[in-house]
Amino acid sequence: MARYQAPLRDMKFLLYDVLEIGSYSNLPRFSEAPRDVVEAVLEGGAVFASEVLQPLNAIGDRQGCKRNPDASVTTPKGFKEAFKQMSDDGWMAISADPQWGGQGLPRVVSIPFLEMCSSANMAFSMYPGLTRGAAEAIQVGGSDEQKKTYLTNMMTGKWAGTMNLTEPQCGTDLGLIRTKAVPQPDGTYKITGQKIWISGGEQDLTENIIQLVLARIEGGPEGIKGISLFIVPKFLVNADGSLGARNGYQCGGLEEKMGIHGNATCVMNYEGATGYLVGEPHKGMRTMFVMMNEARLGVGMQGLAQAEVAFQNAADFARERVQGRSITGAKAPDKPADPIIVHPDVRRMLMDMKAFTEGARAFTYWTALQGDLEQVSPDAHVREKAEDRMTLLTPVVKAFLTDRGFKCANDALQLHGGTGYTRDQGVEQFVRDARIALIYEGTNGIQALDLVGRKLAANGGRAVFAFFNDLEEFVSSNDGDKDLKPYVEGVALATGQLKEATMWLMQNGMSNFDNAGASSHDYLQLFGLTAFAFMWAKQAKAALALRGGGDRFYDDKLATAQYFFERVLPDATSHLAKVKTGAGSVMALPADAF
Amino acid sequence: MARYQAPLRDMKFLLYDVLEIGSYSNLPRFSEAPRDVVEAVLEGGAVFASEVLQPLNAIGDRQGCKRNPDASVTTPKGFKEAFKQMSDDGWMAISADPQWGGQGLPRVVSIPFLEMCSSANMAFSMYPGLTRGAAEAIQVGGSDEQKKTYLTNMMTGKWAGTMNLTEPQCGTDLGLIRTKAVPQPDGTYKITGQKIWISGGEQDLTENIIQLVLARIEGGPEGIKGISLFIVPKFLVNADGSLGARNGYQCGGLEEKMGIHGNATCVMNYEGATGYLVGEPHKGMRTMFVMMNEARLGVGMQGLAQAEVAFQNAADFARERVQGRSITGAKAPDKPADPIIVHPDVRRMLMDMKAFTEGARAFTYWTALQGDLEQVSPDAHVREKAEDRMTLLTPVVKAFLTDRGFKCANDALQLHGGTGYTRDQGVEQFVRDARIALIYEGTNGIQALDLVGRKLAANGGRAVFAFFNDLEEFVSSNDGDKDLKPYVEGVALATGQLKEATMWLMQNGMSNFDNAGASSHDYLQLFGLTAFAFMWAKQAKAALALRGGGDRFYDDKLATAQYFFERVLPDATSHLAKVKTGAGSVMALPADAF
């Protein structure tokens, strides 16, 4: 059976020694988060994740969700109690606004907790995750009355929330949405249509479910510019806040999936259900994008989270399983064979995983910190820079972390040999669960297109040039540091390659958009590697400052940084070469040649 | 639901235009295989695979195998009838020796059929695959009496065969085997012990099952040098060939696995079962390696086979699914959106798959041809070269094709978006099924170690230098061909990188074996890419000679070759860089730092 232990040491190192969140204590939210509070959150969160959520992970996979004849849905045994505990103990709302029942801590403090929950039980964690996203969309786009009606109960986890986007004929292309909203004399709308792949669309965890539904108001414009956003509660809410009539929709079925069996993926049939318009008519995508960008960072983190738990189990297995002898001579002569961790190729896989998870954690937390600074910094320039960084890097976090996180989980399975392929060990579940993260909230191909098509060009390239500046400033300001030199050189090398690829795209992607599309995947990979190089150099810098004094943590960190630069970063070269070939051979064949 | 159509055109192109098997018609086996016979085998095989086996693939995944209270095992509905048809219609024994009921065709003619079966139904195909392997081991190592008793029934598929190697405490390291063989006065042995992960160890397809079991004769040497091989039939065979007493073993349980559910993965409990020694005592590994090397080529082909069927379904989906508009302007203005095949990133995935499957097919068939030449060439030098090539390249075929084949199946899932993650579409089954191929018959890490540790060094490096010679001869003999130039240059580049990596290994891997181990994975990847470059250039050469005349097949082949050299081969550079970093940062951390 799999196990999970929160990597608290690494989390604290990142928050305090790399990101130095202690230096922001004069800012709102951060002022509510002195170190003892943060450490209590981390440590309490670790117990909740590993003692409450993790034991339900395999159960959720085995039992899955069940749709009953009355169209209700039963989640796996124990999920309901765990959800209630999460809500009752205040874990749901760590970084939510105190006005709506939250504790108002910075996002960068809540993200380690979210990582832990996702490592411990990804399928479960999607229920609160989507609830938070839906609540934030209402917070951004809803009326005061809507906020008052829904937010506290959603933020605290008394009610759940969902996103209803996809329909059978449209996933990526939401302009094709057919679900219809007919205005009623009382200002509400009747919603009719079918939504599919709705995570948590129906469940037995909460007494109410607040569906956020994209639909087209009758007579509105065609395409994406005619899409509006609606709140469609499972039970209508009376003026006094009590629950009223059951709304007119049903769960029509559950998808059978490769993984995340503990999460109910619903077909939702709306049959004249009562909906409340969020924001302006036909402008629903704007608010939905707030939610989606949030969600994309969360999905990136799922890539990290599954990689982390898979890595931990692989490391245990590598230390425990004895098989063969070290090629440099027996290391455990008292045993019938050496533990397989002595074999360099096993070590290679473990180092790949360690270099990924620790790099990904730094990248995720750093991006989350930008989200905080964007909101709370008193300096408009800092806010702009923070927003630019977060906007630019969101598709990179989502796609790069889920691509490589899946690879990492898959390597963890590989390290287990045949044992990994059997269900009892639990590691193949990580692979199946992690697999969805490359797809939902916009496939990784869509993320790459978002990066090259929108994010690079926005504001005349302001964000990407500022990011190059971040990198180059790091390089120049650490130029004289001898110990840091190999890491700084790695950042400089990667930065040069990323700039070269960016220039190539600017010169060739505008004259032929297919060049941009054909190179987008490799460009995003190169971007992710460069961001990781930056994160690893930052970590190395912090480790160099703190090492000595007999704490091996910092030496291990430096050795892992070295591994990243020697053994992971070289991929950048081949991605650059691929970027620069453009669309020619990619688009050469006619469609029926495949 | 998934579909499969055998790529007959590509198969014929390879056999006749690239490998030119027509030129061997003076050799034994080949003389029995005129083109009309070969085409009848291909076309009849295609019908059998897509009409009989493919429809059972999803059923097998859903139903799985069931162990009954009496320890018998029921395979999925339809498997028994399909197995009987395969046997009755002569498909089992295409390339088997006519002395034992075979048709005696070359292996290179049977391998396309095996590919088709594996694409259509991997879990099913393992039953005949292992039967063939076990029969070949008996053919190589068994006594005349054993051959007479078992071979015809196994070769024709009346009986099945298995390999019993793994035990709970030993997978890779067979020196740890504990299963015991006690000599009996009548020359037989009593076999006692537990074997696990025995594919087809028990089933309801055949009236007898011939287990090949590795065990340690009581009092024999410790470790790998004390392992003997035994035939342990489910039913003892009487002198007249009829079935006698049930032997003393039982299936103790089935593994629950990530995939290949249609194949019964058994725990086998031997309790004083009657076994017959194959070959000499304590020399069982020698014969078992014959079977394993065979099997490794077959497993490599499974990587190709799952990639091919996944690719076909992805191509269909890309042509049919409409979503979004081409970034260069609408391509299907009459439809609500364009088919997604217009998007360059979708095309990139399809081209990756096409470049892989067609390269892998060439590589597999070329290697199979070496197996034929090794057996039937009258020229000792040709036989030696062919054997060297096959021995050297077996670990490359196994690991490179399963690694990249899995990636290909996974990309096919990705191309499907959310649809790919649901079970109905069938593509996620290809991913789960393909996953085992990276593990069994020696994990891909073991293959890499076999390549750098054994295959490079064998006979003073004779095989690897001869392979370099093959590559360089191809380059120099095609030097003047202008049209072929870009492909020849690609081969030259890859050859240079592979030689550089080989020299590095020779210089650094002997002084510190950990350097060889740490670089083995990237070295094997580089080797595979170089072999693919060779295969793609050979295909380009054949296509150049045949193009014109309005048949687009050859132009598409050349465009795909170009894609390989521009968009796949650049990975070689980063693998070379990783090889040359050696063991330093790989082995730097203590075991408990993970």
Side-chain angles (χ1 to χ4, degrees):
Chain A
M1 285 295 290
R3 64 107 184 163
Y4 172 68
Q5 191 168 15
L8 290 175
R9 179 74 201 268
D10 200 47
M11 290 171 165
K12 291 178 193 173
F13 169 71
L14 282 175
L15 293 182
Y16 287 98
D17 302 323
V18 181
L19 302 179
E20 298 177 312
I21 66 166
S23 66
Y24 301 110
S25 60
N26 56 327
L27 298 184
R29 287 179 168 260
F30 288 93
S31 61
E32 307 299 311
R35 185 153 186 162
D36 60 332
V37 168
V38 173
E39 297 209 339
V41 168
L42 294 181
E43 275 148 33
V47 172
F48 177 76
S50 55
E51 294 185 5
V52 178
L53 298 187
Q54 200 276 332
L56 300 175
N57 193 44
I59 293 169
D61 186 57
R62 290 289 172 128
Q63 292 189 350
C65 296
K66 200 179 136 226
R67 180 178 173 277
N68 306 305
D70 65 356
S72 67
V73 168
T74 306
T75 58
K77 194 166 163 2
F79 272 40
K80 186 172 179 159
E81 293 72 20
F83 198 92
K84 186 166 186 313
Q85 185 177 343
M86 184 176 214
S87 171
D88 289 351
D89 293 357
W91 290 116
M92 188 66 197
I94 300 173
S95 59
D97 194 327
Q99 190 183 354
W100 312 116
Q103 295 166 51
L105 299 182
R107 176 201 303 248
V108 74
V109 172
S110 69
I111 203 123
F113 173 70
L114 301 183
E115 180 199 325
M116 296 175 203
C117 293
S118 190
S119 281
N121 195 326
M122 176 166 158
F124 176 91
S125 302
M126 291 169 65
Y127 296 109
L130 285 159
T131 299
R132 260 188 305 271
E136 279 165 28
I138 294 174
Q139 191 169 12
V140 167
S143 66
D144 285 347
E145 196 200 325
Q146 287 169 343
K147 291 182 197 174
K148 242 181 279 174
T149 308
Y150 303 105
L151 280 190
T152 300
N153 282 335
M154 291 174 78
M155 293 287 193
T156 57
K158 195 170 167 200
W159 297 347
T162 69
M163 297 167 74
N164 283 239
L165 284 73
T166 307
E167 300 180 6
Q169 78 290 351
C170 66
T172 297
D173 185 355
L174 295 171
L176 302 177
I177 278 177
R178 288 188 199 138
T179 295
K180 198 173 59 176
V182 182
Q184 303 299 305
D186 65 352
T188 65
Y189 291 78
K190 291 283 175 216
I191 311 290
T192 302
Q194 188 177 66
K195 295 287 179 179
I196 60 171
W197 297 335
I198 308 308
S199 301
E202 186 58 282
Q203 36 82 351
D204 57 357
L205 305 174
T206 54
E207 60 185 43
N208 204 1
I209 304 174
I210 311 305
Q211 317 279 353
L212 287 188
V213 180
L214 288 183
R216 193 180 293 286
I217 297 175
E218 236 184 4
E222 293 276 295
I224 198 81
K225 288 175 181 159
I227 305 295
S228 306
L229 180 64
F230 297 89
I231 291 171
V232 185
K234 180 173 172 184
F235 291 99
L236 303 185
V237 181
N238 298 321
D240 65 354
S242 63
L243 297 187
R246 176 69 162 81
N247 210 342
Y249 73 77
Q250 278 205 327
C251 168
L254 298 182
E255 300 289 346
E256 276 194 82
K257 311 181 298 289
M258 187 185 198
I260 51 165
H261 294 153
N263 198 275
T265 306
C266 303
V267 175
M268 301 299 291
N269 296 321
Y270 293 90
E271 291 144 358
T274 298
Y276 307 97
L277 181 68
V278 179
E280 293 173 53
H282 321 314
K283 301 277 165 77
M285 290 306 295
R286 214 185 280 171
T287 309
M288 195 47 107
F289 261 114
V290 172
M291 186 168 175
M292 272 201 279
N293 277 324
E294 272 301 311
R296 284 172 179 184
L297 291 173
V299 172
M301 201 202 52
Q302 291 177 333
L304 156 62
Q306 292 305 293
E308 171 67 34
V309 67
F311 165 58
Q312 290 187 12
N313 285 278
D316 285 351
F317 188 83
R319 278 185 291 258
E320 284 157 19
R321 172 77 170 173
V322 302
Q323 203 76 182
R325 288 292 182 194
S326 164
I327 44 180
T328 57
K331 297 291 180 286
D334 53 317
K335 291 185 183 165
D338 288 338
I340 62 171
I341 201 168
V342 305
H343 304 310
D345 191 60
V346 168
R347 208 54 93 96
R348 173 190 64 81
M349 290 190 272
L350 288 174
M351 287 302 297
D352 270 351
M353 294 180 215
K354 191 169 166 69
F356 170 73
T357 53
E358 295 180 11
R361 185 168 297 118
F363 191 26
T364 311
Y365 292 13
W366 182 80
T367 308
L369 175 63
Q370 307 309 318
D372 285 316
L373 295 178
E374 180 203 338
Q375 287 185 1
V376 303
S377 175
D379 181 336
H381 180 65
V382 170
R383 288 201 304 274
E384 183 186 281
K385 276 197 71 159
E387 187 185 358
D388 276 356
R389 283 172 180 156
M390 202 166 75
T391 310
L392 175 71
L393 293 170
T394 292
V396 182
V397 170
K398 195 280 182 183
F400 190 72
L401 265 57
T402 57
D403 269 356
R404 295 224 167 200
F406 175 72
K407 186 186 171 301
C408 192
N410 196 48
D411 280 351
L413 191 163
Q414 185 68 19
L415 190 148
H416 282 80
T419 308
Y421 197 67
T422 58
R423 295 194 68 181
D424 284 347
Q425 190 74 15
V427 70
E428 62 90 38
Q429 184 190 344
F430 303 139
V431 175
R432 288 185 291 102
D433 287 356
R435 186 64 188 82
I436 187 59
L438 287 75
I439 297 173
Y440 62 17
E441 302 302 340
T443 65
N444 286 359
I446 290 295
Q447 304 300 324
L449 212 56
D450 179 46
L451 177 65
V452 303
R454 266 194 288 262
K455 299 300 167 65
L456 286 191
N459 304 308
R462 190 179 72 199
V464 71
F465 288 116
F467 185 64
F468 291 153
N469 210 48
D470 285 343
L471 294 163
E472 286 167 342
E473 210 173 276
F474 180 86
V475 170
S476 61
S477 69
N478 291 289
D479 210 18
D481 188 329
K482 244 195 243 171
D483 292 336
L484 201 59
K485 201 175 171 202
Y487 314 107
V488 171
E489 282 177 351
V491 175
L493 176 76
T495 304
Q497 291 180 315
L498 181 62
K499 285 178 80 171
E500 188 179 339
T502 309
M503 292 309 140
W504 189 93
L505 274 179
M506 288 181 171
Q507 283 160 13
N508 299 279
M510 306 302 251
S511 55
N512 177 2
F513 291 150
D514 276 348
N515 278 331
S519 295
S520 58
H521 167 80
D522 288 290
Y523 181 75
L524 186 144
Q525 298 294 320
L526 177 55
F527 215 116
L529 286 166
T530 308
F532 266 50
F534 188 26
M535 294 301 136
W536 268 115
K538 277 174 170 293
Q539 293 187 80
K541 186 176 173 164
L544 280 168
L546 292 162
R547 76 168 163 178
D551 187 343
R552 220 188 55 200
F553 177 85
Y554 304 107
D555 300 306
D556 293 349
K557 188 59 90 172
L558 288 165
T560 310
Q562 187 192 342
Y563 183 90
F564 173 82
F565 285 101
E566 284 183 4
R567 285 265 180 177
V568 181
L569 193 57
D571 289 349
T573 305
S574 60
H575 289 302
L576 175 61
K578 293 180 195 179
V579 164
K580 289 166 69 182
T581 63
S585 65
V586 176
M587 303 300 285
L589 294 188
D592 62 353
F594 294 100
Chain B
M1 286 294 291
R3 63 107 184 164
Y4 173 68
Q5 191 168 14
L8 290 175
R9 181 72 202 269
D10 200 50
M11 290 169 164
K12 290 177 193 173
F13 168 72
L14 283 175
L15 293 181
Y16 287 97
D17 302 324
V18 181
L19 301 180
E20 297 176 313
I21 66 165
S23 67
Y24 301 110
S25 59
N26 56 327
L27 299 184
R29 287 179 169 257
F30 289 92
S31 62
E32 306 300 311
R35 184 151 185 166
D36 60 332
V37 168
V38 172
E39 299 209 341
V41 168
L42 293 182
E43 275 147 35
V47 171
F48 177 76
S50 55
E51 294 185 6
V52 178
L53 297 187
Q54 199 276 331
L56 300 176
N57 194 43
I59 294 170
D61 187 55
R62 291 288 173 126
Q63 292 189 352
C65 296
K66 201 180 138 226
R67 180 178 174 277
N68 304 304
D70 64 356
S72 67
V73 168
T74 306
T75 58
K77 194 165 163 7
F79 273 40
K80 185 170 180 159
E81 294 72 18
F83 197 93
K84 186 167 185 317
Q85 186 176 341
M86 185 176 214
S87 170
D88 288 352
D89 293 357
W91 291 116
M92 187 67 197
I94 301 173
S95 59
D97 194 325
Q99 190 183 354
W100 312 116
Q103 294 165 51
L105 298 183
R107 175 201 307 243
V108 74
V109 171
S110 70
I111 202 125
F113 173 71
L114 301 183
E115 180 198 327
M116 295 175 203
C117 294
S118 190
S119 280
N121 197 326
M122 176 167 158
F124 176 92
S125 302
M126 291 168 65
Y127 296 110
L130 285 159
T131 300
R132 260 188 306 271
E136 279 164 29
I138 295 174
Q139 191 169 12
V140 167
S143 66
D144 286 346
E145 196 199 327
Q146 287 169 342
K147 292 182 197 175
K148 241 181 283 176
T149 308
Y150 302 105
L151 279 189
T152 300
N153 282 335
M154 291 175 77
M155 294 286 193
T156 58
K158 197 173 167 199
W159 296 347
T162 69
M163 296 167 73
N164 284 240
L165 285 71
T166 307
E167 299 180 6
Q169 78 290 351
C170 66
T172 297
D173 185 356
L174 295 171
L176 302 178
I177 279 177
R178 288 188 200 140
T179 295
K180 196 173 61 175
V182 182
Q184 304 298 307
D186 64 354
T188 67
Y189 291 77
K190 290 282 174 215
I191 312 290
T192 302
Q194 188 178 64
K195 295 287 180 178
I196 61 171
W197 298 335
I198 308 309
S199 301
E202 184 58 282
Q203 36 82 351
D204 57 356
L205 306 173
T206 54
E207 59 185 44
N208 203 1
I209 304 174
I210 311 306
Q211 317 279 355
L212 287 188
V213 180
L214 289 184
R216 193 180 293 285
I217 297 174
E218 237 184 2
E222 292 277 295
I224 199 77
K225 290 177 180 157
I227 306 294
S228 306
L229 179 65
F230 297 89
I231 292 171
V232 185
K234 180 173 172 184
F235 292 98
L236 303 185
V237 181
N238 299 322
D240 66 355
S242 63
L243 297 188
R246 176 70 163 82
N247 210 342
Y249 72 78
Q250 278 207 327
C251 168
L254 298 181
E255 300 290 345
E256 274 195 85
K257 310 180 299 287
M258 186 184 199
I260 51 165
H261 294 153
N263 198 277
T265 307
C266 304
V267 175
M268 302 297 293
N269 295 321
Y270 293 91
E271 291 144 358
T274 299
Y276 307 98
L277 181 68
V278 179
E280 293 174 54
H282 320 314
K283 301 278 165 77
M285 290 307 296
R286 211 184 284 172
T287 309
M288 196 46 107
F289 261 115
V290 173
M291 187 169 175
M292 272 202 278
N293 277 324
E294 268 307 305
R296 285 174 178 184
L297 291 173
V299 172
M301 202 202 52
Q302 291 177 332
L304 156 62
Q306 291 305 292
E308 171 67 32
V309 68
F311 164 58
Q312 290 187 13
N313 285 278
D316 285 352
F317 188 83
R319 277 186 292 259
E320 285 158 18
R321 172 77 169 171
V322 303
Q323 204 76 182
R325 289 291 182 194
S326 163
I327 43 179
T328 58
K331 297 291 181 285
D334 54 316
K335 290 186 184 164
D338 289 336
I340 62 171
I341 200 168
V342 305
H343 304 310
D345 191 61
V346 168
R347 208 56 91 93
R348 172 190 64 81
M349 289 190 272
L350 289 174
M351 287 301 298
D352 270 351
M353 294 179 215
K354 192 169 165 70
F356 170 73
T357 53
E358 295 180 11
R361 184 169 298 116
F363 190 27
T364 312
Y365 293 12
W366 182 79
T367 308
L369 175 62
Q370 307 310 317
D372 285 317
L373 295 177
E374 180 203 338
Q375 286 185 1
V376 302
S377 175
D379 181 336
H381 179 64
V382 170
R383 288 200 305 273
E384 182 186 279
K385 275 196 73 157
E387 187 185 358
D388 276 355
R389 285 173 179 154
M390 202 167 74
T391 310
L392 175 70
L393 293 169
T394 292
V396 182
V397 170
K398 195 280 182 183
F400 190 72
L401 266 55
T402 58
D403 269 354
R404 295 223 166 201
F406 175 73
K407 183 185 173 303
C408 193
N410 196 47
D411 280 351
L413 190 164
Q414 184 69 19
L415 190 147
H416 281 80
T419 307
Y421 197 68
T422 57
R423 296 194 65 181
D424 284 347
Q425 191 72 16
V427 69
E428 61 90 38
Q429 184 190 343
F430 303 139
V431 175
R432 288 185 289 103
D433 287 357
R435 186 62 189 83
I436 188 59
L438 287 75
I439 296 172
Y440 60 17
E441 302 304 338
T443 65
N444 286 0
I446 290 295
Q447 304 301 322
L449 211 58
D450 179 46
L451 177 65
V452 303
R454 263 192 290 262
K455 299 301 168 66
L456 286 192
N459 304 308
R462 187 179 75 200
V464 71
F465 288 117
F467 185 64
F468 292 153
N469 210 47
D470 286 344
L471 294 162
E472 286 168 341
E473 208 172 277
F474 180 86
V475 170
S476 61
S477 68
N478 291 288
D479 210 17
D481 187 330
K482 244 195 241 171
D483 292 335
L484 201 58
K485 200 176 170 202
Y487 314 107
V488 171
E489 282 177 352
V491 176
L493 176 76
T495 305
Q497 291 180 314
L498 181 62
K499 285 178 78 170
E500 189 179 338
T502 310
M503 291 310 139
W504 188 93
L505 274 179
M506 288 181 172
Q507 282 160 13
N508 299 279
M510 306 304 253
S511 54
N512 177 2
F513 291 150
D514 276 347
N515 278 331
S519 295
S520 59
H521 166 80
D522 288 290
Y523 182 75
L524 186 144
Q525 298 294 319
L526 177 55
F527 215 115
L529 285 166
T530 308
F532 265 50
F534 188 27
M535 294 301 136
W536 267 114
K538 276 174 171 291
Q539 292 187 83
K541 185 175 176 167
L544 280 168
L546 293 162
R547 76 166 164 179
D551 187 343
R552 222 188 53 203
F553 177 85
Y554 304 108
D555 300 305
D556 293 348
K557 188 59 90 173
L558 288 166
T560 310
Q562 188 192 341
Y563 182 90
F564 173 82
F565 285 101
E566 284 184 6
R567 286 263 178 176
V568 181
L569 193 57
D571 289 349
T573 305
S574 60
H575 289 302
L576 174 60
K578 293 179 195 180
V579 164
K580 289 166 68 181
T581 62
S585 65
V586 176
M587 303 300 286
L589 295 188
D592 62 355
F594 295 99

